Amino acid sequence: MPLKQDSVMDLIKKEHLDIVGVLETRVKHQNVSDILVKKFSRMQFIGNYTSHQNGRIWILWNPSTVLVSPISESSQMFIAMFCIMLLIPLSISLWCTLVMMGMKDRPFGIL
């Protein structure tokens, strides 16, 4: 069974994505740096490890085209991450919200 990070990296390459949000990572904090070096070495990263022990939400981006600034995290009724993104080539700022809620073991997200 392929690892989720392989699927994410394949999608980033195939679609030429400069930013991607990943839900349900279930990656332990001590394993993050190893995965980032091996799979996402050209990307910057933020995760919600301060509000959830397994960092259920990741945001990865290309630092030459996008700047991401985290605003806040939540782990109360749902797990969420809020940030501002600056699309550098276009000089456009966007608000970003990633939300994960478990519903019969089927998480969903909103970006």
Side-chain angles (χ1 to χ4, degrees), residues 57-80:
I57 299 173
W58 280 19
I59 300 175
L60 299 155
W61 69 92
N62 176 344
S64 65
T65 58
V66 180
L67 175 63
V68 175
S69 300
I71 303 297
S72 67
E73 300 176 15
S74 172
S75 64
Q76 305 257 317
M77 299 285 285
F78 53 88
I79 300 170

mmCIF file of all heavy atoms in Angstrom, residues 57-80:
data_model
loop_
_atom_site.group_PDB
_atom_site.id
_atom_site.type_symbol
_atom_site.label_atom_id
_atom_site.label_comp_id
_atom_site.label_asym_id
_atom_site.label_seq_id
_atom_site.Cartn_x
_atom_site.Cartn_y
_atom_site.Cartn_z
ATOM 1 N N ILE A 57 -3.316 18.145 10.457
ATOM 2 C CA ILE A 57 -3.384 19.046 9.305
ATOM 3 C C ILE A 57 -1.981 19.533 8.967
ATOM 4 O O ILE A 57 -1.245 19.978 9.839
ATOM 5 C CB ILE A 57 -4.285 20.265 9.604
ATOM 6 C CG1 ILE A 57 -5.710 19.815 9.906
ATOM 7 C CG2 ILE A 57 -4.279 21.232 8.421
ATOM 8 C CD1 ILE A 57 -6.621 20.935 10.363
ATOM 9 N N TRP A 58 -1.623 19.434 7.703
ATOM 10 C CA TRP A 58 -0.375 19.984 7.190
ATOM 11 C C TRP A 58 -0.695 20.962 6.067
ATOM 12 O O TRP A 58 -1.612 20.725 5.278
ATOM 13 C CB TRP A 58 0.494 18.899 6.585
ATOM 14 C CG TRP A 58 1.279 18.056 7.524
ATOM 15 C CD1 TRP A 58 1.082 17.885 8.855
ATOM 16 C CD2 TRP A 58 2.383 17.235 7.174
ATOM 17 N NE1 TRP A 58 2.001 17.014 9.366
ATOM 18 C CE2 TRP A 58 2.811 16.590 8.348
ATOM 19 C CE3 TRP A 58 3.041 16.974 5.991
ATOM 20 C CZ2 TRP A 58 3.885 15.707 8.371
ATOM 21 C CZ3 TRP A 58 4.108 16.093 6.009
ATOM 22 C CH2 TRP A 58 4.526 15.473 7.185
ATOM 23 N N ILE A 59 0.084 22.019 5.980
ATOM 24 C CA ILE A 59 0.076 22.882 4.809
ATOM 25 C C ILE A 59 1.504 22.904 4.288
ATOM 26 O O ILE A 59 2.447 23.157 5.040
ATOM 27 C CB ILE A 59 -0.389 24.314 5.133
ATOM 28 C CG1 ILE A 59 -1.823 24.294 5.691
ATOM 29 C CG2 ILE A 59 -0.327 25.194 3.879
ATOM 30 C CD1 ILE A 59 -2.318 25.647 6.158
ATOM 31 N N LEU A 60 1.666 22.580 3.015
ATOM 32 C CA LEU A 60 2.961 22.579 2.346
ATOM 33 C C LEU A 60 2.914 23.602 1.224
ATOM 34 O O LEU A 60 1.896 23.706 0.525
ATOM 35 C CB LEU A 60 3.256 21.198 1.757
ATOM 36 C CG LEU A 60 3.327 20.044 2.750
ATOM 37 C CD1 LEU A 60 3.014 18.729 2.063
ATOM 38 C CD2 LEU A 60 4.691 19.985 3.390
ATOM 39 N N TRP A 61 4.002 24.359 1.027
ATOM 40 C CA TRP A 61 3.989 25.347 -0.047
ATOM 41 C C TRP A 61 5.385 25.569 -0.610
ATOM 42 O O TRP A 61 6.389 25.297 0.031
ATOM 43 C CB TRP A 61 3.377 26.653 0.427
ATOM 44 C CG TRP A 61 4.189 27.420 1.421
ATOM 45 C CD1 TRP A 61 5.108 28.405 1.151
ATOM 46 C CD2 TRP A 61 4.183 27.271 2.841
ATOM 47 N NE1 TRP A 61 5.652 28.877 2.312
ATOM 48 C CE2 TRP A 61 5.111 28.198 3.372
ATOM 49 C CE3 TRP A 61 3.482 26.450 3.723
ATOM 50 C CZ2 TRP A 61 5.348 28.310 4.731
ATOM 51 C CZ3 TRP A 61 3.731 26.564 5.072
ATOM 52 C CH2 TRP A 61 4.646 27.483 5.571
ATOM 53 N N ASN A 62 5.403 26.092 -1.822
ATOM 54 C CA ASN A 62 6.625 26.452 -2.521
ATOM 55 C C ASN A 62 7.006 27.859 -2.067
ATOM 56 O O ASN A 62 6.303 28.814 -2.379
ATOM 57 C CB ASN A 62 6.374 26.419 -4.031
ATOM 58 C CG ASN A 62 7.570 26.865 -4.836
ATOM 59 O OD1 ASN A 62 8.504 27.466 -4.334
ATOM 60 N ND2 ASN A 62 7.519 26.565 -6.121
ATOM 61 N N PRO A 63 8.116 28.034 -1.346
ATOM 62 C CA PRO A 63 8.450 29.343 -0.786
ATOM 63 C C PRO A 63 8.833 30.403 -1.825
ATOM 64 O O PRO A 63 8.853 31.590 -1.518
ATOM 65 C CB PRO A 63 9.627 29.047 0.146
ATOM 66 C CG PRO A 63 10.220 27.795 -0.382
ATOM 67 C CD PRO A 63 9.089 27.009 -0.986
ATOM 68 N N SER A 64 9.098 29.990 -3.062
ATOM 69 C CA SER A 64 9.422 30.987 -4.080
ATOM 70 C C SER A 64 8.173 31.621 -4.688
ATOM 71 O O SER A 64 8.265 32.660 -5.338
ATOM 72 C CB SER A 64 10.296 30.381 -5.184
ATOM 73 O OG SER A 64 9.594 29.384 -5.882
ATOM 74 N N THR A 65 7.018 31.018 -4.472
ATOM 75 C CA THR A 65 5.782 31.565 -5.053
ATOM 76 C C THR A 65 4.690 31.870 -4.038
ATOM 77 O O THR A 65 3.742 32.577 -4.343
ATOM 78 C CB THR A 65 5.192 30.599 -6.105
ATOM 79 O OG1 THR A 65 4.934 29.342 -5.483
ATOM 80 C CG2 THR A 65 6.133 30.408 -7.273
ATOM 81 N N VAL A 66 4.817 31.322 -2.817
ATOM 82 C CA VAL A 66 3.764 31.491 -1.808
ATOM 83 C C VAL A 66 4.407 31.760 -0.453
ATOM 84 O O VAL A 66 5.427 31.167 -0.108
ATOM 85 C CB VAL A 66 2.882 30.224 -1.709
ATOM 86 C CG1 VAL A 66 1.795 30.388 -0.658
ATOM 87 C CG2 VAL A 66 2.269 29.860 -3.052
ATOM 88 N N LEU A 67 3.794 32.637 0.305
ATOM 89 C CA LEU A 67 4.181 32.883 1.696
ATOM 90 C C LEU A 67 2.962 32.570 2.552
ATOM 91 O O LEU A 67 1.880 33.101 2.304
ATOM 92 C CB LEU A 67 4.603 34.339 1.888
ATOM 93 C CG LEU A 67 4.920 34.773 3.315
ATOM 94 C CD1 LEU A 67 6.120 34.009 3.853
ATOM 95 C CD2 LEU A 67 5.168 36.263 3.369
ATOM 96 N N VAL A 68 3.109 31.691 3.528
ATOM 97 C CA VAL A 68 2.001 31.308 4.403
ATOM 98 C C VAL A 68 2.316 31.753 5.826
ATOM 99 O O VAL A 68 3.403 31.490 6.337
ATOM 100 C CB VAL A 68 1.755 29.777 4.373
ATOM 101 C CG1 VAL A 68 0.681 29.376 5.368
ATOM 102 C CG2 VAL A 68 1.378 29.325 2.967
ATOM 103 N N SER A 69 1.369 32.447 6.433
ATOM 104 C CA SER A 69 1.512 32.894 7.820
ATOM 105 C C SER A 69 0.379 32.314 8.653
ATOM 106 O O SER A 69 -0.783 32.650 8.431
ATOM 107 C CB SER A 69 1.451 34.420 7.897
ATOM 108 O OG SER A 69 2.488 34.988 7.142
ATOM 109 N N PRO A 70 0.689 31.422 9.597
ATOM 110 C CA PRO A 70 -0.373 30.856 10.430
ATOM 111 C C PRO A 70 -0.970 31.927 11.339
ATOM 112 O O PRO A 70 -0.274 32.793 11.843
ATOM 113 C CB PRO A 70 0.331 29.784 11.240
ATOM 114 C CG PRO A 70 1.772 30.114 11.177
ATOM 115 C CD PRO A 70 2.010 30.920 9.945
ATOM 116 N N ILE A 71 -2.287 31.862 11.538
ATOM 117 C CA ILE A 71 -3.007 32.787 12.406
ATOM 118 C C ILE A 71 -3.389 32.092 13.706
ATOM 119 O O ILE A 71 -3.108 32.568 14.783
ATOM 120 C CB ILE A 71 -4.280 33.333 11.710
ATOM 121 C CG1 ILE A 71 -3.917 34.025 10.392
ATOM 122 C CG2 ILE A 71 -5.051 34.256 12.629
ATOM 123 C CD1 ILE A 71 -3.033 35.240 10.539
ATOM 124 N N SER A 72 -4.053 30.935 13.595
ATOM 125 C CA SER A 72 -4.454 30.207 14.801
ATOM 126 C C SER A 72 -4.788 28.764 14.465
ATOM 127 O O SER A 72 -4.917 28.388 13.308
ATOM 128 C CB SER A 72 -5.653 30.885 15.469
ATOM 129 O OG SER A 72 -6.790 30.784 14.653
ATOM 130 N N GLU A 73 -4.925 27.973 15.520
ATOM 131 C CA GLU A 73 -5.316 26.571 15.422
ATOM 132 C C GLU A 73 -6.426 26.308 16.419
ATOM 133 O O GLU A 73 -6.547 27.025 17.407
ATOM 134 C CB GLU A 73 -4.154 25.648 15.778
ATOM 135 C CG GLU A 73 -2.949 25.762 14.937
ATOM 136 C CD GLU A 73 -1.822 24.872 15.456
ATOM 137 O OE1 GLU A 73 -2.072 23.980 16.282
ATOM 138 O OE2 GLU A 73 -0.689 25.101 15.038
ATOM 139 N N SER A 74 -7.193 25.257 16.159
ATOM 140 C CA SER A 74 -8.232 24.861 17.090
ATOM 141 C C SER A 74 -8.300 23.344 17.146
ATOM 142 O O SER A 74 -8.075 22.671 16.145
ATOM 143 C CB SER A 74 -9.589 25.413 16.625
ATOM 144 O OG SER A 74 -10.622 24.891 17.426
ATOM 145 N N SER A 75 -8.609 22.802 18.298
ATOM 146 C CA SER A 75 -8.799 21.360 18.403
ATOM 147 C C SER A 75 -9.986 21.047 19.308
ATOM 148 O O SER A 75 -10.044 20.008 19.932
ATOM 149 C CB SER A 75 -7.531 20.698 18.951
ATOM 150 O OG SER A 75 -7.284 21.135 20.264
ATOM 151 N N GLN A 76 -10.920 21.945 19.364
ATOM 152 C CA GLN A 76 -12.082 21.744 20.228
ATOM 153 C C GLN A 76 -13.086 20.819 19.539
ATOM 154 O O GLN A 76 -12.822 19.663 19.371
ATOM 155 C CB GLN A 76 -12.685 23.097 20.569
ATOM 156 C CG GLN A 76 -11.658 24.033 21.188
ATOM 157 C CD GLN A 76 -11.796 24.151 22.673
ATOM 158 O OE1 GLN A 76 -12.887 24.256 23.175
ATOM 159 N NE2 GLN A 76 -10.700 24.139 23.390
ATOM 160 N N MET A 77 -14.200 21.312 19.071
ATOM 161 C CA MET A 77 -15.225 20.484 18.427
ATOM 162 C C MET A 77 -14.732 19.912 17.097
ATOM 163 O O MET A 77 -15.235 18.925 16.606
ATOM 164 C CB MET A 77 -16.488 21.299 18.177
ATOM 165 C CG MET A 77 -17.115 21.840 19.426
ATOM 166 S SD MET A 77 -17.969 20.578 20.339
ATOM 167 C CE MET A 77 -19.417 20.404 19.337
ATOM 168 N N PHE A 78 -13.756 20.545 16.518
ATOM 169 C CA PHE A 78 -13.172 20.110 15.254
ATOM 170 C C PHE A 78 -11.702 20.514 15.279
ATOM 171 O O PHE A 78 -11.264 21.247 16.146
ATOM 172 C CB PHE A 78 -13.889 20.748 14.062
ATOM 173 C CG PHE A 78 -13.975 22.246 14.169
ATOM 174 C CD1 PHE A 78 -12.963 23.058 13.686
ATOM 175 C CD2 PHE A 78 -15.076 22.851 14.770
ATOM 176 C CE1 PHE A 78 -13.033 24.433 13.806
ATOM 177 C CE2 PHE A 78 -15.166 24.224 14.875
ATOM 178 C CZ PHE A 78 -14.139 25.021 14.401
ATOM 179 N N ILE A 79 -10.953 20.024 14.331
ATOM 180 C CA ILE A 79 -9.553 20.398 14.218
ATOM 181 C C ILE A 79 -9.451 21.377 13.058
ATOM 182 O O ILE A 79 -9.921 21.089 11.960
ATOM 183 C CB ILE A 79 -8.666 19.167 13.973
ATOM 184 C CG1 ILE A 79 -8.816 18.182 15.137
ATOM 185 C CG2 ILE A 79 -7.214 19.566 13.797
ATOM 186 C CD1 ILE A 79 -8.173 16.840 14.882
ATOM 187 N N ALA A 80 -8.860 22.538 13.290
ATOM 188 C CA ALA A 80 -8.791 23.544 12.237
ATOM 189 C C ALA A 80 -7.474 24.294 12.284
ATOM 190 O O ALA A 80 -6.843 24.395 13.326
ATOM 191 C CB ALA A 80 -9.942 24.530 12.375
#
